[in-house]
Amino acid sequence: MQKIILTKVQKQILSNHANKEKPNESCAILLGTEKGDKSKVEKVFLTKNTDQSPVNFTISAEQRLEADKMEKELKLKIIGIFHSHPDSKAYPSSTDKKFMDLNPVVWVIFSGISKDFKAYVLESEISEIPIESE
Ligand SMILES: [Zn+2]
């Protein structure tokens, strides 16, 4: 089964980002390596939510381009997309599901309510995958 490795420090960076952006959703691009079914985050790229919305997020074309550049420079792959749900649980919304289809990487969601992280992939259905710290 697929899983994602996210260190405690990386989680701290992401939850701080989520708290700072409240009441709006926050987002980030996760770069790392893939070995078999293990995706390991090596670099967290905090991005702006250009929607400035509590229920949606969009990463600008400029920042997506910047992430493409980081892939080459750091020899990493974009393995995940992070965003927060300030006022709901860490489960993909119907909009998220649409974008998961377009961006088939691991989707990590942080809930501002439960303060925890969940990770999902979209195959034919949404399936939750484990987050490990090492
Ligand atoms: Zn969402």
Side-chain angles (χ1 to χ4, degrees):
M1 192 200 203
Q2 202 179 340
K3 60 181 167 188
I4 185 161
I5 317 290
L6 199 59
T7 66
K8 266 190 191 158
V9 173
Q10 290 166 341
K11 280 186 178 174
Q12 196 65 56
I13 292 168
L14 292 168
S15 60
N16 285 347
H17 181 52
N19 287 332
K20 225 180 77 200
E21 296 302 312
K22 270 194 308 198
N24 294 328
E25 289 195 359
S26 61
C27 48
I29 295 173
L30 308 174
L31 295 111
T33 54
E34 274 171 345
K35 219 184 240 171
D37 51 10
K38 206 159 100 178
S39 301
K40 187 175 191 313
V41 178
E42 300 282 0
K43 163 102 188 142
V44 173
F45 174 33
L46 300 179
T47 53
K48 267 195 204 110
N49 174 6
T50 57
D51 288 345
Q52 296 280 294
S53 156
V55 290
N56 277 307
F57 78 99
T58 300
I59 298 171
S60 70
E62 287 80 6
Q63 288 201 307
R64 275 183 281 144
L65 218 64
E66 218 177 303
D68 289 343
K69 253 189 234 159
M70 280 182 187
E71 279 192 309
K72 288 191 200 93
E73 282 169 14
L74 306 172
K75 296 194 168 64
L76 296 173
K77 276 186 68 181
I78 294 171
I79 56 165
I81 293 173
F82 164 84
H83 75 289
S84 62
H85 284 175
D87 277 311
S88 62
K89 57 181 183 165
Y91 190 80
S93 66
S94 52
T95 312
D96 291 338
K97 203 174 163 181
K98 231 186 299 170
F99 285 103
M100 286 173 85
D101 197 32
L102 296 171
N103 301 282
V105 292
V106 179
W107 278 56
V108 177
I109 304 178
F110 175 77
S111 166
I113 296 176
S114 62
K115 314 278 181 209
D116 67 353
F117 290 85
K118 302 262 190 215
Y120 302 89
V121 289
L122 180 65
E123 280 149 359
S124 50
E125 282 301 315
I126 288 174
S127 37
E128 187 179 340
I129 64 165
I131 301 177
E132 289 177 10
S133 46
E134 240 351 291

